[in-house]
């Protein structure tokens, strides 16, 4: 399918972006781990699906202690995934197919294998090498206590003590995430300049944008004070309330403006518009949309949409709060159902509790920590048939809303969270750091099934994938779904084709429809495409017009529960 909007300078305002988690997408060299050539080989699948862009999670050299979010070299490709030449080929092939390429930027921390961190460890306190990271003396008589009470997002303290070259205990370094992920010191101009170079390195290779990992964390309070403990969660570090010494701390804005200026240098190139999408879990939304003011980043993930319960009230609340908030700064809203950090949507929507209820949740409660939420959900039983039915309805809602939409790999296949990965195989650092309390995010990272009747289902040829795939995924392969008109894959293809074809979906106009209210969300897009979502048991009569697409078959001409319809009335 060709993409008529590929060269539009504002392609990102309406783009459907497909997230690739490289380790788990496709394994061209058959070593059990996905790779760059694997991604390139499957680009025709993505073109066929109808996406406008791919976002590739980190593909850099890394010990993979946090799945690649521990970067050892920002200007190269992990040898397990391929080479820079493979990346160039991927970019060229994607562009030929009308697909933009976004990669991850991980600016809060590096890997402890980054040469600058190794140099820092090899030098003494106060050296210029140490100034690139955040080293401090400990508290207590012998410096035996961490410099403050900050905790790692993955559990345990956010500080680890070093050992001096002579074997004595040394300073501590800060890591808001895993011990293997030391935080950069963004006060140091060398660090900022290094990241400018990284941006240019990839923009020059033809990359169309960056997804910015924890875009709200780079700036820290200069005195590194203790933070208050959140009374709701009893834990401090995930507390996103205003006043945090390291989330959304003043200074993060200047860093983002600096990056924006670099991207804008490319405005007049053939590909034009290079963009940033922010990963930031921030409440209230008025703080989040500051990130997408015209001189800062372009878009930001709508984590409220991702985390919201599948209830009419919560879904409505998210739509009603996010669209005007983004409009107030002139940025498009994004719509997201999943990513590599959250329980897969088909599973979540099949649980007794399907997510955060935004009609009642106190936004200050910081209820949205994905790792914690995942663990709470894990303990509940799942009705997967129901979950998949709702996931179909949710996809048609997502793709019909104004702005840009994200698909996490495998969502288009209706894959479920793999909840029974043997403990010995779990790789998420949260598992160890939480003392085996939090299983973590491996369940949504299981390699994709492409074809055939037995594992690895075309992921590689015959090598065992790095995480085991469920035996029943033979029913969920691309090959199996391709020939099934009722499959999730064909629903996604049909929806994205209509979204691309119909001017109504590219307009920003959205007005409530007469059916809206009670258990129904209904609105008109543009000049006459009506979207109806029925959350209630009572079937709903659709408006007169041509039914373009429904997430399930109508029953006696009516829209049943947990279903969405698109109707052309104009
Ligand atoms: C957010 C990423 O999505 C997640 O996978 C990672 O663990 C943390 N940031 C730390 O980089």
């Amino acid at each position: 399918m060709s993409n008529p909007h590929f060269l539009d300078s504002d392609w990102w305002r309406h783009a459907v972006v497909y997230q690739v988690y490289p380790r788990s997408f496709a394994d061209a060299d058959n070593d059990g781990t996905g790779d760059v050539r694997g991604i390139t080989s499957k680009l025709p699948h993505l073109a066929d699906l109808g996406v406008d862009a791919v976002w590739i999670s980190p593909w850099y050299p890394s010990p993979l202690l946090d799945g690649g979010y521990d970067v050892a070299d920002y200007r190269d490709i992990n040898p397990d995934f391929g080479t820079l030449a493979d990346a160039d080929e991927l970019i060229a092939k994607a562009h030929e197919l009308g697909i933009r390429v976004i990669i991850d930027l991980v600016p809060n921390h590096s890997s402890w294998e980054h040469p600058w961190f190794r140099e820092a460890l090899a030098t003494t306190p106060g050296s210029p090498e140490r100034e690139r990271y955040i080293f401090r003396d400990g508290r207590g008589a012998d410096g035996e206590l961490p410099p403050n009470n900050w905790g790692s997002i993955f559990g345990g303290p956010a500080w680890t003590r070093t050992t001096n070259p002579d074997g004595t205990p040394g300073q501590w370094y800060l890591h808001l995430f895993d011990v293997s992920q030391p935080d950069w010191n963004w006060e140091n101009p060398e660090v900022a300049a290094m990241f400018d170079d990284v941006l240019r390195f990839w923009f020059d290779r033809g990359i169309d944008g960056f997804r910015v990992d924890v875009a709200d964390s780079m700036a820290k309070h200069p005195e590194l004070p203790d933070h208050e403990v959140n009374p709701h969660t009893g834990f401090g570090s995930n507390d996103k309330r205003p006043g945090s010494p390291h989330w959304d701390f003043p200074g993060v804005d200047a860093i983002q403006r600096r990056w924006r200026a670099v991207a804008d240098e490319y405005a007049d190139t053939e590909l034009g518009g290079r963009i940033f999408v922010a990963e930031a879990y921030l409440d209230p939304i008025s703080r989040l949309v500051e990130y997408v003011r015209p001189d800062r980043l372009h878009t930001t993930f709508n984590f409220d949409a991702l985390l919201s319960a599948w209830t009419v009230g919560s879904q409505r609340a998210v739509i009603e709060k996010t669209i005007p908030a983004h409009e107030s700064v002139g940025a498009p809203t994004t719509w997201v159902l999943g990513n590599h950090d959250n329980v897969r949507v088909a599973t979540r929507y099949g649980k007794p509790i399907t997510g955060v209820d935004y009609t009642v949740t106190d936004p200050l409660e910081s209820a949205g920590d994905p790792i914690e939420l995942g663990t709470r959900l894990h303990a509940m039983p799942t009705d997967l048939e129901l979950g998949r039915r709702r996931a179909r309805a949710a996809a048609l809602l997502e793709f019909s809303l104004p702005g840009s939409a994200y698909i996490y790999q495998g969502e288009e296949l209706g894959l479920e969270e793999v909840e029974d990965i043997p403990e010995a195989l779990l790789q998420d650092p949260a598992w160890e750091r939480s003392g085996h309390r939090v299983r973590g995010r491996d369940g949504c990272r299981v390699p994709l099934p492409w074809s055939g009747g037995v594992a690895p289902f075309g992921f590689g040829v015959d090598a065992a994938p790095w995480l085991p795939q469920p035996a029943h995924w033979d029913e969920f392969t691309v090959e199996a779904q391709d020939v099934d008109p009722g499959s999730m894959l064909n629903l996604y293809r049909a929806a994205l084709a209509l979204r691309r074809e119909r001017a109504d979906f590219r307009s920003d106009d959205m007005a409530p429809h007469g059916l809206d209210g009670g258990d129904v969300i209904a609105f008109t897009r543009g000049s006459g495409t009506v979207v109806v979502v029925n959350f209630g048991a009572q079937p709903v009569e659709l408006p007169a017009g041509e039914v373009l697409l429904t997430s399930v078959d109508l029953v006696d001409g009516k829209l049943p529960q947990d279903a969405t319809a698109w109707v052309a009335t104009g």
Side-chain angles (χ1 to χ4, degrees):
M1 188 201 302
S2 66
N3 181 0
H5 307 295
F6 176 62
L7 284 176
D8 292 358
S9 58
D10 64 351
W11 60 273
W12 48 276
R13 288 189 164 266
H14 304 279
V16 175
V17 185
Y18 183 98
Q19 181 190 355
V20 168
Y21 192 70
R23 245 177 145 181
S24 305
F25 189 66
D27 175 17
D29 66 0
N30 195 37
D31 64 354
T33 295
D35 44 48
V36 178
R37 284 194 298 113
I39 304 171
T40 310
S41 74
K42 301 296 185 191
L43 287 172
H45 164 72
L46 300 182
D48 221 37
L49 187 59
V51 306
D52 302 294
V54 281
W55 149 36
I56 303 173
S57 280
W59 57 3
Y60 310 105
S62 163
L64 297 181
L65 295 175
D66 183 23
Y69 284 91
D70 45 331
V71 180
D73 180 351
Y74 290 84
R75 299 184 191 79
D76 205 347
I77 298 289
N78 185 335
D80 287 344
F81 296 167
T83 62
L84 276 175
D86 294 337
D88 290 340
E89 196 187 327
L90 180 150
I91 298 164
K93 177 83 184 175
H95 286 168
E96 252 170 54
L97 290 167
I99 298 175
R100 299 273 185 167
V101 182
I102 297 171
I103 58 174
D104 238 284
L105 183 72
V106 188
N108 179 68
H109 44 264
S110 70
S111 159
W112 60 10
E113 288 192 8
H114 192 285
W116 281 8
F117 190 68
R118 293 185 159 192
E119 286 173 24
L121 285 184
T123 57
T124 46
S127 68
E129 287 79 7
R130 288 216 168 173
E131 281 306 303
R132 294 168 178 151
Y133 291 90
I134 302 180
F135 283 85
R136 290 291 183 278
D137 293 334
R139 294 197 276 202
D142 298 314
E144 72 282 10
L145 298 173
N148 67 25
N149 71 354
W150 298 2
S152 152
I153 308 309
F154 296 144
W159 295 93
T160 292
R161 195 163 196 190
T162 61
T163 306
N164 292 321
D166 66 2
T168 55
Q171 287 190 299
W172 298 70
Y173 67 89
L174 176 69
H175 52 88
L176 287 182
F177 292 88
D178 189 42
V179 58
S180 64
Q181 295 168 298
D183 281 44
W184 288 109
N185 172 17
W186 273 88
E187 293 295 311
N188 185 335
E190 247 191 295
V191 170
M194 187 272 275
F195 274 96
D196 290 351
D197 287 350
V198 168
L199 296 180
R200 292 197 182 93
F201 177 89
W202 291 105
F203 283 148
D204 289 344
R205 293 194 108 87
I207 286 294
D208 299 287
F210 288 90
R211 172 265 192 192
V212 182
D213 190 62
V214 275
D216 53 342
S217 63
M218 290 83 69
K220 274 105 191 170
H221 192 301
E223 285 154 27
L224 306 179
D226 279 353
H227 53 53
E228 288 170 31
V229 171
N230 184 334
H232 300 283
T233 60
F235 181 55
S237 288
N238 265 359
D239 191 340
K240 299 288 189 123
R241 286 179 294 178
S244 162
H246 60 72
W247 296 121
D248 193 33
F249 194 77
V252 101
D253 50 336
I255 297 170
Q256 295 172 357
R257 284 195 192 93
R258 179 176 177 131
W259 294 338
R260 177 64 181 249
V262 175
D264 287 350
E265 290 167 13
Y266 291 80
D268 296 331
T269 56
E270 192 199 337
L271 287 170
R274 313 296 171 98
I275 63 115
F276 296 101
V277 49
E279 187 224 21
Y281 292 79
L282 272 184
D283 274 326
I285 195 158
S286 54
R287 292 167 74 212
L288 182 64
V289 297
E290 286 298 314
Y291 284 42
V292 286
R293 284 197 178 275
D295 60 344
R296 290 177 66 176
L297 308 180
H298 296 75
T299 57
T300 180
F301 291 104
N302 185 345
F303 286 116
D304 291 339
L306 190 159
L307 297 169
S308 172
W310 179 252
T311 61
V312 68
S314 189
Q315 293 286 329
R316 184 191 300 284
V318 170
I319 293 170
E320 287 177 355
K321 83 169 170 169
T322 47
I323 295 178
H326 284 78
E327 271 172 5
S328 72
V329 294
T333 306
T334 67
W335 302 100
V336 193
L337 296 176
N339 68 10
H340 63 291
D341 292 331
N342 287 283
V343 175
R344 280 194 177 275
V345 62
T347 298
R348 241 181 317 123
Y349 285 178
K351 299 277 187 186
I353 294 175
T354 51
V356 177
D357 181 352
Y358 284 96
T359 62
V360 297
T361 299
D362 170 0
L364 300 184
E365 199 176 326
S366 183
D369 170 43
I371 298 174
E372 284 287 340
L373 187 66
T375 299
R376 274 184 272 140
L377 289 174
H378 188 83
M380 301 173 198
T382 315
D383 176 345
L384 268 179
E385 201 182 317
L386 179 65
R388 289 203 172 95
R389 178 190 176 95
R390 290 172 168 170
R392 292 171 71 95
L396 293 200
L397 173 59
E398 174 189 18
F399 298 142
S400 72
L401 288 163
S404 144
Y406 279 77
I407 300 171
Y408 173 51
Q409 67 177 36
E411 238 162 59
E412 81 280 21
L413 304 177
L415 297 186
E416 76 274 20
E417 182 85 1
V418 182
E419 296 189 285
D420 58 358
I421 298 174
E423 290 181 356
L425 298 181
L426 292 176
Q427 314 237 350
D428 190 333
W431 174 241
E432 288 303 328
R433 288 195 66 85
S434 68
H436 296 182
R437 189 177 55 84
V438 174
R439 280 177 68 89
R441 303 157 294 175
D442 293 311
C444 64
R445 299 174 176 180
V446 172
L448 291 195
W450 292 93
S451 58
V454 289
F457 303 113
F459 170 66
V461 180
D462 52 12
W466 70 281
L467 286 173
Q469 301 157 304
H472 71 269
W473 274 10
D474 58 337
E475 292 165 40
F476 290 89
T477 63
V478 172
E479 184 182 54
Q481 298 202 31
D482 187 42
V483 292
D484 172 2
S487 68
M488 185 74 96
L489 178 59
N490 282 320
L491 179 75
Y492 267 62
R493 286 175 177 158
L496 296 187
L498 281 167
R499 178 180 158 108
R500 195 171 264 179
E501 255 165 57
R502 295 184 72 79
D504 282 347
F505 286 130
R506 296 187 73 74
S507 102
D508 288 331
D509 294 344
M510 175 173 168
H513 183 270
L515 283 173
D516 193 57
D519 288 332
V520 175
I521 293 180
F523 49 85
T524 304
R525 294 283 282 113
S527 56
T529 304
V530 175
V531 177
V532 185
V533 192
N534 183 14
F535 293 82
Q538 190 64 37
V540 172
E541 187 91 50
L542 291 175
E546 181 198 351
V547 177
L548 298 168
L549 192 62
T550 54
S551 61
V552 293
D553 289 340
L554 298 179
V555 177
D556 301 329
K558 293 184 180 169
L559 187 69
Q561 186 166 26
D562 290 323
T564 301
W566 292 356
V567 184
T569 62

